[in-house]
Amino acid sequence: MIARLLLSPDLDTRVEEIKRALDLHLGNVKVHPDLLYFKAEEKLGIEEARKIKEHFSLKPYSAKGRAVVLENAANLTFDAQNALLKILEEPPEEALIILGSKTEDDLLPTVISRCQIVILRAKPEGSLALASRSENARISGTSPGILRSAQND
């Protein structure tokens, strides 16, 4: 599985897409033993990076894999970002890693290079459109419905 970086200046847009991805990966649950979730307002330092590594070192409890979500990855310190490079480069099988951010500029280039970039844009009627850096980019782990709706826009 590839780590995904969801880019949108709007936190609500990022959170909505995070919920969709989690529903696909873990089912429709708010709290799940295989999920480690960091809210946008949390400061993320080296200790949180260790928690993420430890989370992925364990076998899934009830889902097919484990998931980590950072609503605002810009809160990661530079040391924490560097500590996560290995897990971003080679995530465990069936892992889901979602990093949310307003812009790529908030993260180290080495982190960005290990993520699949998904740009979220709010449409006038409030639904989401996904855009990838490349027209032919494959959105790994995304439901065909979401991918098709992005391609049809």
Side-chain angles (χ1 to χ4, degrees):
M1 177 68 64
I2 292 176
R4 274 187 236 152
L5 174 59
L6 305 180
L7 296 176
S8 174
D10 180 45
L11 176 62
D12 292 336
T13 301
R14 290 194 312 261
V15 171
E16 186 177 331
E17 184 56 30
I18 287 167
K19 288 178 183 175
R20 287 183 189 172
L22 289 176
D23 284 348
L24 291 173
H25 193 73
L26 299 174
N28 191 8
V29 294
K30 294 192 188 253
V31 178
H32 197 283
D34 295 319
L35 172 64
L36 185 58
Y37 198 102
F38 295 95
K39 293 277 195 188
E41 56 277 351
E42 292 182 56
K43 187 67 178 160
L44 305 169
I46 199 74
E47 187 60 36
E48 287 72 20
R50 286 186 188 120
K51 287 179 186 176
I52 292 169
K53 286 181 178 181
E54 181 181 335
H55 180 74
F56 281 126
S57 72
L58 303 171
K59 291 187 179 201
Y61 178 73
S62 62
K64 63 181 178 181
R66 298 192 136 242
V68 169
V69 173
L70 292 90
E71 283 184 358
N72 190 8
N75 290 346
L76 284 165
T77 64
F78 289 138
D79 288 339
Q81 289 182 49
N82 282 318
L84 291 175
L85 291 177
K86 182 70 173 168
I87 201 111
L88 290 171
E89 189 170 2
E90 297 175 17
E93 201 170 314
E94 299 298 332
L96 177 63
I97 304 169
I98 300 175
L99 308 175
S101 183
K102 290 181 182 181
T103 174
E104 292 178 38
D105 298 334
D106 293 336
L107 300 169
L108 294 172
T110 51
V111 169
I112 295 166
S113 70
R114 288 163 173 80
C115 295
Q116 175 187 33
I117 309 295
V118 180
I119 300 170
L120 304 173
R121 292 177 279 170
K123 292 163 111 179
E125 62 271 11
S127 60
L128 295 176
L130 300 179
S132 206
R133 270 211 173 139
S134 152
E135 294 280 323
N136 299 321
R138 190 174 129 249
I139 300 178
S140 173
T142 302
S143 76
I146 291 174
L147 181 57
R148 260 194 298 279
S149 69
Q151 289 174 336
N152 292 335
D153 292 334

